[in-house]
Amino acid sequence: MVAHVATIDTRTQLLDAAEHLFAERGYRGTSVRAITDRAGANLAAVAYHFGSKAELLAAVARRVIEPINAAQAAGLDRLLARTADPAVADLVAAFVGPLFDEMPAGAESGARTSRLIVTILSDPAEETRAWTGPAEDTVRDRFVAAFRHALPDLPAEELWFRLRGILAVTAVDRVNLYNQRPSTSGSGEAARDWAITFLAAAMSAPPTGT
Amino acid sequence: MVAHVATIDTRTQLLDAAEHLFAERGYRGTSVRAITDRAGANLAAVAYHFGSKAELLAAVARRVIEPINAAQAAGLDRLLARTADPAVADLVAAFVGPLFDEMPAGAESGARTSRLIVTILSDPAEETRAWTGPAEDTVRDRFVAAFRHALPDLPAEELWFRLRGILAVTAVDRVNLYNQRPSTSGSGEAARDWAITFLAAAMSAPPTGT
DNA sequence: GCCTCTTTCAAACGCTCGTTTTAATCAAAC
DNA sequence: GTTTGATTAAAACGAGCGTTTGAAAGAGGC
């Protein structure tokens, strides 16, 4: 029970290895053997510590998403403490920023985080669903309400479309469409700012006319 | 050599089945046996007609993408014939429209098309890369040039970011982030119009300041 | 009727996968 | 020093995978 180790926990090393490999090759594309090799652990360690590969994925997802949700909630709190009517651009920044910035322990860069999320979520395997908890839903619903308040003329369906657009753009560096390199160059900070510019304008567009 | 069949070509049925299943379950998630079962063909038919599963994927991708590229090119031609300085919104519509509208023979709806494309492109398997041809590159480069002309103040890197944003949003109904249903409801026409509104505003945003 | 070329078929091959099993190892408790 | 409980280790299991094989079936040319 007590931490009686000089080296890092096998469990943690499995989480780190799995996070890296899932982000890079997807859930189906990553074998348990690849994970345990990278972690320097035995093949059976995944079953022992997590029960199954699917449960390891759930543990990885939870570890990645938790700090993002906390940061999003904190950002929204900060915004609402300042004014009851936040601007659309500020809401976008509060929602998108953590997706670029947050960096779970053991990972190397924030960009990898969103890549992992989309890799997980765009995987059609059943195991990669059903991981969101009440915390995620709460944060999302609060943002929905805030956007609805800031954009009273936008029909609910179109608002949902736009919210999914936000997530899609945030994950843009994962989907290297048209054989583009994932991220053109340099800092992820620039990408975050570009995304906020891009999405704030998109969210502020007037509703699509009939 | 000659078409001497009353029923549909086995080859075509394999393409139809593969297109459906790749879109639904991804490349890795679809077995050759599932494809041949759905096509009513023998397991060995894929190897006989296409050589391998990967080459079948390439054939599916080509068949899906070709009409889209043709429609994009035609739309851009139409636009440039009317004016030498097309509006950003018109460029967006010409680029995005075909991704929603085009429907390859045998498929059931246009929405599936973009779903397939993203499923293919977001798959980290090596087989799902390297399928774009010179036609795709030509169309893309023409749109890049047109956007660059319409947005002369936008730095090249940020333009590339935004172009990838267009593709990401177009594919938004594939990635059901946050356990959202793929497409909220009803017509894909509404989604196309919403996307054009959303993306035209996003593309027209001023460059991100330093 | 026979020949030739294309297409279909059932069966098997070799491989990798996630998981399970059983034994060995280890640090602390007593 | 022995016992205990948690962890690691090596090996094997059965299932599913993409692909290959070699023979059967089919269709037109002569």
Side-chain angles (χ1 to χ4, degrees):
Chain A
M1 210 60 180
V2 187
H4 54 281
V5 281
T7 65
I8 302 173
D9 217 47
T10 298
R11 195 189 144 90
T12 303
Q13 289 193 242
L14 287 172
L15 284 169
D16 291 344
E19 179 177 327
H20 180 98
L21 291 171
F22 285 155
E24 193 163 276
R25 310 182 200 172
Y27 176 73
R28 287 181 152 118
T30 303
S31 69
V32 173
R33 284 168 176 83
I35 295 169
T36 52
D37 282 358
R38 178 174 238 267
N42 186 268
L43 172 60
V46 165
Y48 177 77
H49 284 284
F50 298 95
S52 69
K53 182 187 177 188
E55 291 175 88
L56 170 58
L57 170 71
V60 168
R62 273 195 299 274
R63 194 180 65 155
V64 168
I65 284 158
E66 244 157 42
I68 292 175
N69 263 273
Q72 285 178 326
L76 186 55
D77 288 340
R78 229 177 298 119
L79 218 54
L80 292 174
R82 209 187 310 140
T83 167
D85 303 293
V88 171
D90 290 331
L91 288 172
V92 167
F95 189 85
V96 168
L99 287 168
F100 281 90
D101 297 337
E102 279 304 317
M103 173 176 9
E108 53 192 80
S109 92
R112 151 149 303 133
T113 297
S114 68
R115 202 164 12 134
L116 172 70
I117 292 172
V118 181
T119 299
I120 291 173
L121 291 175
S122 70
D123 194 306
E126 293 88 9
E127 294 96 328
T128 58
R129 300 291 156 76
W131 51 265
T132 44
E136 289 79 25
D137 289 343
T138 301
V139 173
R140 184 196 58 187
D141 289 345
R142 289 184 62 205
F143 271 97
V144 170
F147 273 115
R148 200 186 292 282
H149 182 256
L151 298 163
D153 295 334
L154 195 67
E157 280 202 327
E158 189 165 3
L159 176 61
W160 277 107
F161 176 90
R162 292 189 184 183
L163 292 174
R164 276 185 284 128
I166 292 179
L167 291 162
V169 170
T170 303
V172 77
D173 67 341
R174 169 65 194 81
V175 181
N176 63 343
L177 293 149
Y178 279 99
N179 289 347
Q180 274 289 115
R181 294 150 303 298
S183 203
T184 42
S185 79
S187 64
E189 281 195 33
R192 185 197 55 202
D193 294 341
W194 293 340
I196 292 172
T197 301
F198 185 89
L199 291 170
M203 290 300 292
S204 303
T208 302
T210 56
Chain B
M1 209 62 178
V2 187
H4 53 283
V5 281
T7 66
I8 302 171
D9 219 32
T10 296
R11 196 189 144 90
T12 303
Q13 290 193 241
L14 286 172
L15 284 169
D16 290 344
E19 180 178 325
H20 180 97
L21 292 171
F22 285 156
E24 194 163 276
R25 311 183 200 172
Y27 176 73
R28 286 181 153 117
T30 303
S31 69
V32 174
R33 285 167 176 82
I35 295 169
T36 52
D37 281 359
R38 178 173 238 267
N42 186 270
L43 172 60
V46 164
Y48 177 77
H49 285 283
F50 298 95
S52 69
K53 182 189 177 186
E55 291 175 88
L56 170 58
L57 171 71
V60 168
R62 273 195 301 273
R63 194 180 65 155
V64 167
I65 284 156
E66 245 157 42
I68 292 175
N69 262 275
Q72 286 179 326
L76 186 56
D77 288 340
R78 229 177 298 121
L79 218 54
L80 292 175
R82 208 187 309 142
T83 169
D85 302 296
V88 170
D90 290 332
L91 288 172
V92 168
F95 189 84
V96 167
L99 287 168
F100 281 91
D101 297 338
E102 280 304 316
M103 170 177 13
E108 51 193 83
S109 92
R112 149 150 304 133
T113 297
S114 67
R115 203 164 11 137
L116 172 70
I117 292 173
V118 181
T119 299
I120 291 173
L121 290 175
S122 70
D123 194 308
E126 294 88 9
E127 295 96 327
T128 59
R129 301 289 156 77
W131 51 265
T132 43
E136 288 80 26
D137 290 342
T138 302
V139 173
R140 183 195 59 188
D141 290 344
R142 289 185 61 207
F143 271 97
V144 170
F147 273 114
R148 200 185 293 281
H149 182 257
L151 298 163
D153 295 333
L154 194 68
E157 280 202 329
E158 191 167 1
L159 176 61
W160 278 109
F161 177 89
R162 293 190 182 183
L163 291 173
R164 278 184 283 126
I166 291 180
L167 291 162
V169 170
T170 303
V172 76
D173 67 341
R174 169 68 195 79
V175 182
N176 63 343
L177 294 148
Y178 278 100
N179 288 349
Q180 274 290 114
R181 294 152 301 300
S183 204
T184 43
S185 78
S187 65
E189 282 195 33
R192 185 197 55 203
D193 295 340
W194 292 341
I196 291 173
T197 301
F198 185 90
L199 292 170
M203 291 301 292
S204 302
T208 301
T210 58

